[in-house]
């Protein structure tokens, strides 16, 4: 398969003076037309199926006018539940963990532990840990399960579908 | 086997596609659109539990497995799910090159019975490359549920390929599929599937290029479909020769290695 043989073929094609893109489009069209023709001849779908419950829901969630308000409302509820709802367990956790801190401090005093050790372990390590847990754990324990549910219910994919255009405009995908 | 895979050097070519040529099994390629249950058919045939897919983030892997029917072992290759073979994406190129160059004994096109029209496009492109094609109509239960009635006999007449309705999820119809594959491999049925007739404008040009190709590369006819090659050249694919050279160079190199070993 020498270069010369190849260029002979190529020049032959060039001599035909064709627009490759146009030819390609025509080929694809011919393929699709053939497929359509065969499918039409051999398929009978007896009746148009009624829109199912899921499809109705789908149209609602991805509709032009209702899609975004529904999305904002939904995410708004999730955030509201997370932020407001987390306050109560947070307060309880903090109360509990700092109650333990008091007792630990008492223990250190009773054992006559040096002040630097008490400061490092209790005021440093324990208190930081207690704050982080009481502030971070409840919102996470509320937010992520709800988000997982939204994902599994197919609501998040619809949000993604709604936002597709914006991501495209922002250059996030092509 | 009736097919002269070894003598034509296809075995060596297959090795470049990671198919063990020394097993000398007939190769069954599974082609189909994404989400037609292709992997389910693959798992049903081979019994291999395997997850394949080509969504972003997943690499395009070529899954293969084996099954035995009437004491003949077959190699099954799961091609990436594609809507066409026009080689505009890596997946399409992989599927096309495999069918074109590894020349599987049988190519099974798995189609979604609920959406046949879109799936037929792929079948029509596969029949341009290979004669030995089977249409596997999967998701027949879904089609029934959606009140879609398919005239299987009419479809078989129009396409001139064997049609096997399946419900791969319930392993229904897979033994029929194996039987049909067996018949084709043993050349008990001769297939002459539908070939797309393009507009006269295109056909005229094909007729001008085909003799030229035959003249310049008289040996190529043994390996690939010249009409198909002409069509690719017409649509402006200039890399096709490189792919050909690559494939047949690999072939030649492998041959030398084999000779030296002996």
């Amino acid at each position: 398969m020498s270069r010369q043989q190849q260029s002979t073929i190529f020049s032959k094609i060039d001599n035909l003076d064709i627009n490759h893109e146009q030819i390609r489009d025509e080929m694809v069209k011919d393929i699709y037309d053939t497929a359509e023709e065969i499918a039409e001849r051999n398929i009978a779908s007896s009746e148009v199926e009624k829109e199912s419950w899921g499809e109705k829901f789908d149209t609602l969630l991805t509709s032009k006018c209702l899609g975004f308000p529904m999305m904002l409302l939904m995410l708004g509820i999730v955030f509201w539940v997370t932020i407001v709802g987390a306050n109560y367990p947070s307060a309880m956790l903090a109360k509990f963990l700092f109650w333990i801190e008091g007792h630990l401090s008492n223990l250190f005093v009773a054992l006559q532990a040096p002040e630097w050790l008490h400061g490092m372990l209790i005021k440093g390590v324990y208190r930081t840990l207690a704050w982080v847990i009481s502030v971070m754990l409840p919102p996470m324990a509320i937010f992520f399960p709800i988000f997982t549910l939204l994902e599994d219910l197919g609501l998040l994919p619809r949000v993604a579908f709604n936002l597709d255009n914006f991501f495209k405009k922002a250059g996030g995908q092509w | 086997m009736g097919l002269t895979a070894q003598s034509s050097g296809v075995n060596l070519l297959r090795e470049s596609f990671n198919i063990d040529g020394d097993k000398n099994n007939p190769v069954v390629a599974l082609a189909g659109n994404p989400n037609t249950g292709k992997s389910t058919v693959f798992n049903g045939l081979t019994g291999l539990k395997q997850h394949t897919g080509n969504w972003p983030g997943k690499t395009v892997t070529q899954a293969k497995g084996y099954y035995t029917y009437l004491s003949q072992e077959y190699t099954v290759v799961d091609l990436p799910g594609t809507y066409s073979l026009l080689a505009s994406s890596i997946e399409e190129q992989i599927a096309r090159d495999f069918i074109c160059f590894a020349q599987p004994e049988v190519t099974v096109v798995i189609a979604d019975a609920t959406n046949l029209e879109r799936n037929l496009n792929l079948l029509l492109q596969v029949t341009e490359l290979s004669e030995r094609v089977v249409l596997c109509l999967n998701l027949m239960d879904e089609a029934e549920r959606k009140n879609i009635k398919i005239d299987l006999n009419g479809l078989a007449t129009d396409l001139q390929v064997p049609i096997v309705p399946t419900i791969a999820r319930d392993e229904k119809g897979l033994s029929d599929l194996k039987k049909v594959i067996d018949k084709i491999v043993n050349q008990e049925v001769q297939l002459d599937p539908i070939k797309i007739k393009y507009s006269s404008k295109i056909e005229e040009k094909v007729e001008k290029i085909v003799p030229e190709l035959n003249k310049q590369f008289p040996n190529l006819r043994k390996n690939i479909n010249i009409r198909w090659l002409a069509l690719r050249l017409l649509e402006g694919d200039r890399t096709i020769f490189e792919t050909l050279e690559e494939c047949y160079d690999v072939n030649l190199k492998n041959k030398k290695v084999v000779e030296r070993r002996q």
Side-chain angles (χ1 to χ4, degrees):
Chain A
M1 202 174 284
S2 71
R3 295 275 159 245
Q4 203 194 336
Q5 285 170 310
Q6 285 182 31
S7 52
T8 318
I9 295 283
F10 285 143
S11 63
K12 182 94 184 168
I13 291 164
D14 289 338
N15 284 342
L16 286 174
D17 190 30
I18 42 179
N19 181 340
H20 292 307
E21 215 152 283
Q22 202 187 328
I23 288 269
R24 194 180 162 109
D25 286 349
E26 275 176 37
M27 280 179 191
V28 173
K29 192 178 169 296
D30 287 339
I31 294 171
Y32 274 64
D33 286 348
T34 315
E36 193 185 340
E37 195 189 306
I38 294 173
E40 253 171 34
R41 213 178 309 151
N42 296 301
I43 299 172
S45 52
S46 48
E47 63 201 78
V48 184
E49 213 196 348
K50 260 183 153 183
E51 235 185 17
S52 71
W53 183 85
E55 277 162 352
K56 272 183 198 151
F57 204 54
D58 209 21
T59 347
L60 194 67
L61 279 174
T62 53
S63 75
K64 275 220 165 82
C65 49
L66 273 175
F68 273 97
M70 295 274 284
M71 176 185 89
L72 291 174
L73 183 73
M74 196 172 71
L75 294 177
I77 291 173
V78 171
F79 284 124
W80 183 80
V81 169
T82 306
I83 293 164
V84 176
N87 282 338
Y88 303 99
S90 268
M92 279 162 68
L93 263 176
K95 207 176 155 194
F96 172 68
L97 290 171
F98 289 115
W99 173 77
I100 292 182
E101 190 195 305
H103 283 274
L104 281 173
S105 283
N106 286 344
L107 182 72
F108 271 68
V109 172
L111 289 172
Q112 292 183 328
E115 181 54 35
W116 61 267
L117 188 66
H118 176 244
M120 196 168 78
L121 288 182
I122 304 301
K123 285 185 180 160
V125 175
Y126 184 84
R127 188 176 285 180
T128 314
L129 201 64
W131 270 121
V132 170
I133 287 176
S134 52
V135 171
M136 297 291 290
L137 187 65
M140 285 201 278
I142 294 171
F143 181 75
F144 284 107
I146 297 181
F147 226 58
T148 308
L149 280 178
L150 288 186
E151 168 108 58
D152 287 348
L153 282 172
L155 294 171
L156 285 190
R158 266 123 195 125
V159 168
F161 176 81
N162 285 339
L163 290 175
D164 205 38
N165 263 331
F166 291 95
F167 278 112
K168 247 179 213 160
K169 273 179 196 150
Q173 47 177 236
W174 12 255
Chain B
M1 287 290 88
L3 291 155
T4 53
Q6 210 154 26
S7 57
S8 61
V10 168
N11 262 12
L12 294 166
L13 244 175
R14 280 178 182 171
E15 269 171 26
S16 69
F17 285 99
N18 206 8
I19 305 296
D20 3 282
D22 51 334
K23 276 207 167 197
N24 220 3
N25 287 346
V27 173
V28 179
L30 301 186
N33 291 6
N35 294 321
T36 52
K38 206 159 57 65
S39 300
T40 320
V41 173
F42 177 76
N43 290 338
L45 284 176
T46 61
L48 250 176
K49 294 279 172 270
Q50 194 157 356
H51 180 84
T52 45
N54 50 323
W55 295 101
K58 282 178 195 163
T59 47
V60 189
T61 43
Q62 175 201 66
K64 56 177 179 172
Y66 306 93
Y67 74 87
T68 307
Y69 183 79
L70 300 178
S71 68
Q72 166 70 51
E73 196 184 39
Y74 292 82
T75 303
V76 189
V77 180
D78 193 11
L79 299 177
T82 57
Y83 292 102
S84 84
L85 293 180
L86 295 169
S88 42
S89 72
I90 295 179
E91 287 82 10
E92 291 179 4
Q93 205 177 346
I94 291 172
R96 184 196 79 177
D97 287 351
F98 189 82
I99 299 172
C100 182
F101 300 116
Q103 298 175 12
E105 267 74 7
V106 180
T107 305
V108 180
V109 177
I110 292 147
D112 175 357
T114 65
N115 205 339
L116 190 58
E117 188 185 323
R118 199 178 61 196
N119 287 258
L120 281 180
N121 293 316
L122 181 67
L123 180 95
L124 291 172
Q125 291 173 54
V126 173
T127 55
E128 279 194 324
L129 272 173
S130 172
E131 310 264 275
R132 303 180 299 267
V133 179
V134 178
L135 176 63
C136 167
L137 273 184
N138 198 24
L139 304 172
M140 284 304 279
D141 51 340
E142 286 281 317
E144 202 172 310
R145 209 173 55 78
K146 289 191 175 175
N147 272 323
I148 298 168
K149 290 191 180 66
I150 300 171
D151 178 4
L152 293 177
N153 289 328
L155 197 60
T157 318
D158 278 347
L159 297 172
Q160 291 294 312
V161 297
I163 296 177
V164 184
T166 58
I167 308 169
R169 211 169 16 202
D170 305 335
E171 307 225 333
K172 276 186 190 151
L174 291 182
S175 56
D176 292 336
L177 186 59
K178 286 180 188 173
K179 198 197 275 174
V180 171
I181 291 169
D182 171 71
K183 279 196 175 151
I184 295 173
V185 168
N186 290 317
Q187 299 187 312
E188 283 169 35
V189 277
Q190 287 298 324
L191 297 178
D192 184 19
I194 184 177
K195 293 266 161 28
I196 296 168
K197 189 107 177 71
Y198 292 101
S199 59
S200 53
K201 202 175 119 197
I202 296 175
E203 293 288 348
E204 267 169 34
K205 283 168 183 141
V206 170
E207 272 162 38
K208 278 183 193 151
I209 297 178
V210 166
E212 192 64 28
L213 280 167
N214 278 331
K215 200 174 107 196
Q216 294 292 336
F217 313 114
N219 291 324
L220 209 55
R221 206 176 341 181
K222 276 182 268 170
N223 296 314
I224 76 164
N225 186 327
I226 296 293
R227 178 186 151 86
W228 179 82
L229 180 61
L231 284 166
R232 299 291 77 78
L233 289 169
L234 273 180
E235 65 170 15
D237 187 346
R238 302 231 148 170
T239 59
I240 191 80
F241 281 122
E242 281 160 37
T243 317
L244 280 174
E245 273 177 348
E246 219 171 82
C247 275
Y248 293 110
D249 259 347
V250 167
N251 196 2
L252 289 175
K253 272 178 210 151
N254 274 348
K255 234 176 210 159
K256 273 177 201 151
V257 172
V258 171
E259 273 162 20
R260 229 175 283 144
R261 261 191 228 143
Q262 290 165 346

